[in-house]
Amino acid sequence: MPRGRPRKHNPTIPAHIDQLKLPAGIYWDRTGAGRWYVLERDDAGGKATATTVAGPTAKLSDLHAIIESRKGGSTKGSIAYVLDRFHASLDFKQLASTTRSHYEDYAAAIKAYPAKHGTLGELVVDRLGPPVFRHLVDTIAQGKPATTPGGKATPGYPTKANHWLRYLRRAFGWGVEHDACKTNPCRGVRCVKEVRNHRMPELTVFRAVQAYARRCCGLKPRERGALPRYLAAGMELAYQARLRGIEVLTLTDAHDLEEDLQTNRRKGSRDNLVRKGTATAQAIAELQAYRNEIWTAKKRQVPIRAEQRPLLVSEDGEPLTRSGWNTSWGRLMRNAVRDGVITAEQRFGLHGLKHRGVTDTKGDKKQASGLTDAMVRRYDHELPRVEPADD
């Protein structure tokens, strides 16, 4: 037996909607061109506010899908449904762990991305075409200007747009093969051109941010502005040894030799032994001291094998993950801009310190960085001083 009073016939509701089959919880607003909305209350149970979820052209099946998705489940055939099935598949489980982690982040962001009515995850895949995703990719890549005077514009992220497109193309392709959807609307949508931006900081900017990180690392945990103690030391190792971010995060005591730091380079770069100068030795000692303090406080057993003792650990004593580092790094950059240490345009990433390290290296930069000739030209931003053609 249905709950509540039955709906009265509303002559302003579009004629293609069977009013007797409308789902509970969705309402029609006749003002303007008309819209479908739901009522939402905050956690305190205050006054209900109307949230638009569909326009006048929405079909009855669309309205049922919207209500179903708002209950916490994904409607069959929707983007969220296809992505959920793809992530539960054997194909997904056989991907590399880092790829799965990235895909999970993409899926969460795509499902919550705002659409004209509701979110992108609620849209049905088979009702979408390539123009929808062409517009999505272009919007993310170009960004959005400020909508009001003095408002904040959204910057463009071409790399993010291409990552989302490749991921959706792969997920929808899997969905077609496994009957989760009938079409792949991302097929044929081209990637945007990515602008290479190494974001190499000036040496003075790098040292200013590092000094700021050291001051914030000295604050008590949970104190306003406090940052983890591994940040400043990790920055130093990335710079001195010319390491990528993942190469810093995976350093262990096994790489700490008596007089050298043995690298663990990726992407075909050649490993080498970096002589431990004063700054490098101090950074390693700081990381080991911080790790030992945490392990002592947590009463963790110290592994006997050196390769099982990571230099960078999180607050719970576990090896620091990429996402954990990115969270701390993002907070460092935001705070540094807020406190006037750097400007928003001077923000840089950990990978920018590899560029800075290669550029500042004296002598044979190819051997020092383990890079090929082509890669050295990409990372070395020092302008060569040459003689004139004829003097």
Side-chain angles (χ1 to χ4, degrees):
M1 182 176 180
R3 297 176 59 185
R5 294 178 298 173
R7 293 178 185 259
K8 294 182 179 180
H9 182 77
N10 187 341
T12 65
I13 292 179
H16 65 275
I17 297 294
D18 185 348
Q19 299 186 31
L20 297 177
K21 297 181 180 180
L22 278 172
I26 196 165
Y27 307 95
W28 172 254
D29 182 358
R30 70 183 69 185
T31 58
R35 66 186 181 113
W36 294 99
Y37 68 92
V38 297
L39 296 177
E40 294 181 332
R41 298 181 185 274
D42 55 24
D43 295 337
K47 184 178 178 180
T49 57
T51 302
T52 301
V53 294
T57 59
K59 300 178 181 179
L60 183 64
S61 58
D62 296 331
L63 302 181
H64 278 276
I66 290 170
I67 293 300
E68 184 66 25
S69 63
R70 296 182 69 86
K71 293 179 180 179
S74 55
T75 306
K76 184 176 182 179
S78 66
I79 293 178
Y81 171 82
V82 176
L83 298 186
D84 289 342
R85 284 200 55 187
F86 173 56
H87 284 232
S89 68
L90 176 62
D91 290 30
F92 183 82
K93 291 180 173 60
Q94 291 177 336
L95 297 174
S97 59
T98 53
T99 303
R100 294 198 304 269
S101 177
H102 290 323
Y103 280 4
E104 288 167 356
D105 293 339
Y106 300 160
I110 289 170
K111 291 177 185 178
Y113 190 84
K116 187 174 181 180
H117 299 295
T119 62
L120 190 63
E122 297 171 354
L123 303 182
V124 178
V125 176
D126 294 335
R127 294 178 184 169
L128 305 175
V132 174
F133 293 94
R134 174 77 274 157
H135 176 71
L136 173 67
V137 170
D138 291 344
T139 300
I140 297 174
Q142 297 173 3
K144 296 180 180 179
T147 55
T148 58
K152 188 175 181 181
T154 302
Y157 298 100
T159 303
K160 173 183 175 181
N162 288 338
H163 285 169
W164 280 24
L165 176 59
R166 296 188 189 103
Y167 164 68
L168 287 173
R169 187 186 296 148
R170 183 173 192 169
F172 293 158
W174 178 94
V176 171
E177 293 180 359
H178 295 81
D179 199 30
C181 57
K182 302 297 183 184
T183 61
N184 184 349
C186 287
R187 181 176 296 169
V189 179
R190 292 179 290 106
C191 292
V192 296
K193 184 177 181 180
E194 298 181 20
V195 180
R196 295 189 180 276
N197 182 8
H198 52 76
R199 293 198 302 166
M200 182 185 74
E202 295 293 333
L203 185 59
T204 54
V205 172
F206 159 46
R207 291 305 185 188
V209 172
Q210 187 181 41
Y212 174 77
R214 290 192 186 280
R215 293 196 301 271
C216 296
C217 293
L219 300 176
K220 296 180 180 179
R222 308 294 182 245
E223 187 176 350
R224 185 178 184 273
L227 292 170
R229 284 166 50 186
Y230 52 70
L231 280 173
M235 294 167 67
E236 191 66 38
L237 293 182
Y239 172 68
Q240 296 290 352
R242 299 158 288 262
L243 299 175
R244 297 180 175 89
I246 188 62
E247 295 166 358
V248 174
L249 296 179
T250 52
L251 288 173
T252 67
D253 281 354
H255 299 100
D256 178 26
L257 308 181
E258 291 186 4
E259 298 181 355
D260 303 301
L261 174 66
Q262 181 178 335
T263 62
N264 57 342
R265 304 190 190 279
R266 266 62 165 186
K267 295 187 176 181
S269 298
R270 184 178 179 181
D271 281 327
N272 50 24
L273 299 176
V274 181
R275 182 181 61 82
K276 288 197 302 186
T278 304
T280 304
Q282 181 180 352
I284 294 175
E286 288 179 6
L287 293 173
Q288 290 174 334
Y290 177 60
R291 177 197 65 196
N292 294 339
E293 287 180 16
I294 293 179
W295 282 359
T296 300
K298 299 293 183 180
K299 298 181 179 179
R300 292 175 61 100
Q301 185 175 2
V302 179
I304 298 177
R305 301 178 62 179
E307 58 269 23
Q308 296 178 346
R309 300 194 297 269
L311 289 183
L312 283 81
V313 297
S314 58
E315 292 182 349
D316 59 0
E318 294 296 325
L320 185 64
T321 61
R322 187 196 297 264
S323 62
W325 172 274
N326 289 342
T327 299
S328 300
W329 185 267
R331 190 162 67 248
L332 166 64
M333 286 294 149
R334 289 191 297 272
N335 293 354
V337 173
R338 180 196 65 195
D339 295 342
V341 178
I342 57 174
T343 64
E345 292 73 22
Q346 291 175 320
R347 290 182 58 159
F348 60 92
L350 185 64
H351 195 69
L353 295 180
K354 178 180 175 69
H355 286 262
R356 183 78 264 170
V358 174
T359 301
D360 293 348
T361 297
K362 307 302 179 184
D364 190 342
K365 298 186 178 185
K366 177 181 177 181
Q367 185 177 11
S369 59
L371 300 172
T372 62
D373 290 332
M375 293 301 288
V376 169
R377 287 193 293 271
R378 176 179 176 184
Y379 281 92
D380 182 16
H381 306 284
E382 183 181 21
L383 294 177
R385 192 170 189 269
V386 298
E387 295 297 325
D390 185 19
D391 188 359

